[in-house]
């Protein structure tokens, strides 16, 4: 009788559990009010989720964008509420863990190409609002994305637990009651949602942010995210707050800079949609930061916005056939005349309306990575001012002219000498062009990790041999 009672009790418990699971599975998803969804949308825009999680010509937030990293290509994931291929089954806590700790719902670790190291500064309320938006404000896209497949040992995602233990600062921003509400808002956005440090802060040997050179500039794939500290020469110390706001709204400040690459995407999809008060707060905060000098900053008295002058080399190529010019020292000048002068002017002066910018007093003609990336990848920026487009000259289908590595090197050297720092800077090689064409410089971390893995195996083998020999000796005594 006792055994029968236990069996019946177990059956009741099992049936109850099954009923509860079924009820939970059939339970309606939590409903969020329109205000929460709208707030979440604004925060997702401030966080620039669209730029990484939307493939070119793809569906919003459906992933599939291939991003170059120093250790290999990383493919963004589907973050629509699709229950099969997206995050539709995520609970609010699982969403928070992914956003702020880099942990997926299945327990696998995310790579810090997803800037959870910055999102860790976001508040519970803001992350919950983003959850509301992604669950109910984003259309589900039932489409799988290609899995990221990094080379060994970077493909061991659980190794990120060690990296997080060393470098993930998941503490809230420190209270600074002496600061204004505007400054604090700017800090929260710049250090958190807008994740400025992710691109603009140099990385250490293990790809961690070097806090000692905060926002001093860093290589990000083929592009170089420049120094945005208050240094008057190396950074943007000479900019006014109004100019910082203008740049974030439009992607350009005449005679100084134009956004391209990932920054153009951030301008188009994120900053240009933020409230003016938030842009002003970011400008106030950025302008207040300590000056710093980065690795790529020029050791000259002029800032990157003041270098170069107008000029041309027409006297060297006139009266000589195109075929002859492209064989000799005037290759760069001939390519510029044939491909660039019609928009940027024969003197590199640009157009009067600044749609096509001047090539001197232009930060793009100072940094070699950005100059090469601009030539190879073009410019594509959309703001309330309109669509700014420069066609690429790389391997793309919409390239006006597919220039070779040798031709790009010659063109870039001509521009550096004519409109940038001068002839001494014109040292770009076809090899350097090929590196940018392939996604930018690669990190030594992969080689170091492989060497470490081999060393670990050798040490383990030696330990095993040592233990076996000791046992053999003990047994023979």
């Amino acid at each position: 009788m006792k055994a029968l009672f236990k069996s019946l009790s177990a059956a009741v418990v099992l049936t109850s559990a099954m009923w509860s699971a079924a009820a939970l599975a059939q339970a309606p998803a939590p409903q969020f009010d329109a205000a929460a969804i709208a707030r979440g949308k604004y925060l997702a825009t401030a966080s620039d989720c669209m730029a990484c999680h939307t493939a070119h010509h793809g569906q919003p937030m459906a992933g599939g964008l291939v991003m170059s990293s120093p250790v290999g290509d990383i493919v963004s994931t589907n973050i629509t509420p699709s229950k099969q291929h997206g995050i539709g089954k995520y609970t609010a806590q699982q969403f928070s863990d992914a956003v702020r700790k880099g942990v997926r719902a299945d327990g696998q670790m995310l790579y810090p190409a997803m800037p959870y190291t910055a999102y860790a500064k976001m508040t519970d309320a803001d992350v919950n609002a983003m959850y509301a938006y992604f669950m109910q404000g984003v259309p589900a896209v039932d489409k799988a994305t290609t899995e990221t497949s990094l080379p060994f040992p970077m493909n061991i995602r659980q190794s990120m637990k060690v990296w997080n233990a060393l470098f993930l600062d998941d503490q809230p921003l420190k209270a600074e009651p002496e600061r204004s509400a505007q400054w604090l808002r700017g800090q929260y956005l710049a250090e958190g949602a807008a994740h400025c440090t992710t691109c603009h802060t140099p990385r250490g040997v293990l790809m961690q942010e070097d806090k000692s050179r905060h926002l001093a500039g860093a290589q990000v794939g083929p592009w170089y995210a420049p120094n945005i500290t208050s240094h008057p020469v190396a950074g943007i110390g000479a900019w006014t707050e109004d100019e910082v706001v203008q740049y974030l709204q439009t992607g350009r400040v005449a005679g100084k800079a134009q956004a391209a690459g990932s920054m153009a995407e951030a301008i188009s999809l994120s900053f240009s949609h933020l409230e003016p008060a938030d842009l002003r707060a970011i400008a106030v905060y950025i302008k207040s930061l300590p000056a710093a000098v980065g690795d790529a900053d020029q050791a000259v008295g002029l800032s990157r916005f003041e270098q170069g002058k107008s000029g041309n080399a027409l006297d060297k190529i006139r009266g000589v056939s195109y075929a002859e010019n492209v064989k000799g020292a005037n290759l760069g000048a001939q390519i510029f005349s044939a491909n660039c002068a019609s928009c940027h002017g024969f003197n590199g002066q640009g157009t009067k309306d600044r749609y096509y910018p001047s090539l001197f007093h232009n930060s793009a003609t100072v940094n070699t990575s950005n100059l090469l990336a601009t030539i190879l990848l073009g410019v594509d920026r959309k703001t309330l001012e309109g669509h700014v487009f420069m066609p690429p000259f790389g391997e793309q289908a919409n390239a006006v002219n597919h220039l070779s590595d040798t031709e790009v090197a010659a063109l870039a050297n001509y521009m550096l000498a004519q409109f940038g720092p001068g002839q001494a800077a014109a040292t770009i090689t076809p090899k350097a062009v090929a590196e940018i064409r392939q996604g930018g410089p690669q990190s030594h971390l992969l080689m170091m990790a492989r060497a470490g893995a081999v060393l670990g195996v050798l040490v383990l083998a030696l330990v095993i041999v040592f233990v076996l020999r000791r046992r053999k000796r003990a047994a023979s005594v």
Side-chain angles (χ1 to χ4, degrees):
M1 189 72 180
K2 199 170 186 180
L4 178 61
F5 178 76
K6 285 185 176 180
S7 298
L8 288 172
S9 297
V12 170
V13 170
L14 179 61
T15 302
S16 176
M18 292 174 64
W19 182 86
S20 298
L24 185 62
Q26 296 174 4
Q31 296 297 304
F32 303 98
D33 60 46
I37 296 172
R39 183 174 171 223
K41 180 179 181 180
Y42 183 81
L43 290 163
T45 300
S47 302
D48 203 17
C49 303
M50 183 79 77
C52 289
H53 288 278
T54 304
H56 298 304
H57 307 296
Q59 294 170 285
M61 306 294 186
L65 182 69
V66 179
M67 297 173 286
S68 297
S69 86
V71 294
D73 289 341
I74 294 176
V75 185
S76 65
T77 55
N78 183 331
I79 56 171
T80 74
S82 167
K83 292 187 176 181
Q84 183 176 2
H85 300 296
I87 59 172
K89 293 182 179 180
Y90 275 51
T91 65
Q93 184 59 55
Q94 289 171 332
F95 179 83
S96 176
D97 288 344
V99 170
R100 295 192 289 187
K101 296 180 181 179
V103 182
R104 300 190 319 202
D106 62 1
Q108 288 287 346
M109 308 300 294
L110 297 173
Y111 296 110
M114 193 299 211
Y116 60 85
T117 51
Y119 297 155
K121 304 301 181 187
M122 298 181 72
T123 64
D124 291 342
D126 281 354
V127 172
N128 286 336
M130 288 177 66
Y131 178 71
Y133 168 65
F134 278 103
M135 291 300 110
Q136 291 180 213
V138 175
V141 178
D142 294 317
K143 181 180 179 182
T145 58
T146 304
E147 285 286 331
T148 295
S149 181
L150 295 180
F152 176 84
M154 298 302 171
N155 60 340
I156 304 175
R157 287 180 176 267
Q158 292 307 307
S159 64
M160 290 309 304
K161 288 185 177 180
V162 178
W163 192 92
N164 286 347
L166 291 171
F167 305 119
L168 175 58
D169 178 8
D170 59 0
Q171 297 303 306
L173 292 169
K174 294 179 180 178
E176 298 192 49
E178 74 281 4
R179 295 287 191 176
S180 68
Q182 184 183 48
W183 187 94
L184 293 171
R185 177 63 174 172
Q187 179 196 37
Y188 179 74
L189 289 170
E191 302 290 341
H195 57 276
C196 303
T197 62
T198 302
C199 291
H200 289 276
T201 296
R203 299 274 173 169
V205 175
L206 298 179
M207 300 306 295
Q208 80 282 13
E209 291 181 15
D210 183 352
K211 302 297 184 182
S212 67
R213 297 185 292 167
H214 187 59
L215 301 179
Q219 191 76 31
V220 185
W223 299 92
Y224 187 83
N227 187 327
I228 57 171
T229 72
S230 58
H231 196 288
V233 176
I236 57 172
W239 288 34
T240 65
E241 285 180 10
D242 286 343
E243 286 175 325
V244 176
V245 171
Q246 179 189 341
Y247 184 77
L248 295 176
Q249 284 179 327
T250 67
R252 69 169 183 168
V253 175
K256 290 186 176 177
Q258 304 82 37
S262 53
M263 190 62 195
E265 292 177 343
I267 298 290
S268 299
L269 300 173
S270 178
F271 289 117
S272 65
H273 299 281
L274 299 189
E275 295 291 337
D278 278 343
L279 295 179
R280 178 67 59 176
I282 293 173
V284 167
Y285 172 70
I286 292 293
K287 288 284 293 174
S288 75
L289 295 176
V293 177
D295 293 336
D297 293 323
Q298 302 291 318
V300 295
L302 296 175
S303 77
R304 62 183 182 270
F305 314 111
E306 301 174 301
Q307 297 185 44
K309 59 183 180 180
S310 64
N312 63 72
L314 292 177
D315 60 319
K316 296 178 181 178
I317 63 175
R318 280 189 179 133
V320 183
S321 69
Y322 182 90
E324 287 299 315
N325 276 325
V326 297
K327 291 179 182 179
N330 296 322
L331 172 60
Q334 182 64 73
I335 293 175
F336 180 86
S337 180
N339 294 278
C340 312
S342 59
C343 293
H344 291 283
F346 69 99
N347 275 333
Q349 73 273 23
T351 54
K352 289 183 179 181
D353 63 0
R354 302 297 185 186
Y355 181 88
Y356 294 108
S358 163
L359 297 178
F360 51 90
H361 293 182
N362 186 330
S363 57
T365 49
V366 174
N367 182 276
T368 56
S369 287
N370 288 346
L371 177 57
L372 293 176
T374 302
I375 294 171
L376 290 169
L377 304 175
V379 177
D380 192 357
R381 188 176 72 242
K382 296 178 182 178
T383 67
L384 295 177
E385 280 195 336
H387 186 193
V388 175
F389 180 76
M390 170 189 149
F393 290 87
E395 301 168 350
Q396 304 87 338
N398 65 334
V400 171
N401 192 2
H402 302 282
L403 299 180
S404 69
D405 291 344
T406 299
E407 291 170 329
V408 171
L411 172 60
N413 283 326
Y414 170 78
M415 295 175 69
L416 286 171
Q418 194 70 59
F419 309 120
Q423 189 63 50
T427 58
I428 296 175
T429 63
K431 182 179 179 181
V433 178
E435 183 178 65
I436 296 299
R437 193 190 293 270
Q438 292 164 11
Q442 295 298 296
S443 170
H444 296 300
L445 180 59
L446 179 59
M447 182 177 64
M448 291 168 56
R450 286 177 172 172
V454 171
L455 181 60
V457 170
L458 290 175
V459 170
L460 180 60
L462 289 174
V463 170
I464 293 173
V465 170
F466 176 75
V467 171
L468 291 176
R469 284 185 176 179
R470 288 200 62 174
R471 286 183 178 179
K472 186 176 181 180
R473 288 175 183 175
S476 63
V477 174

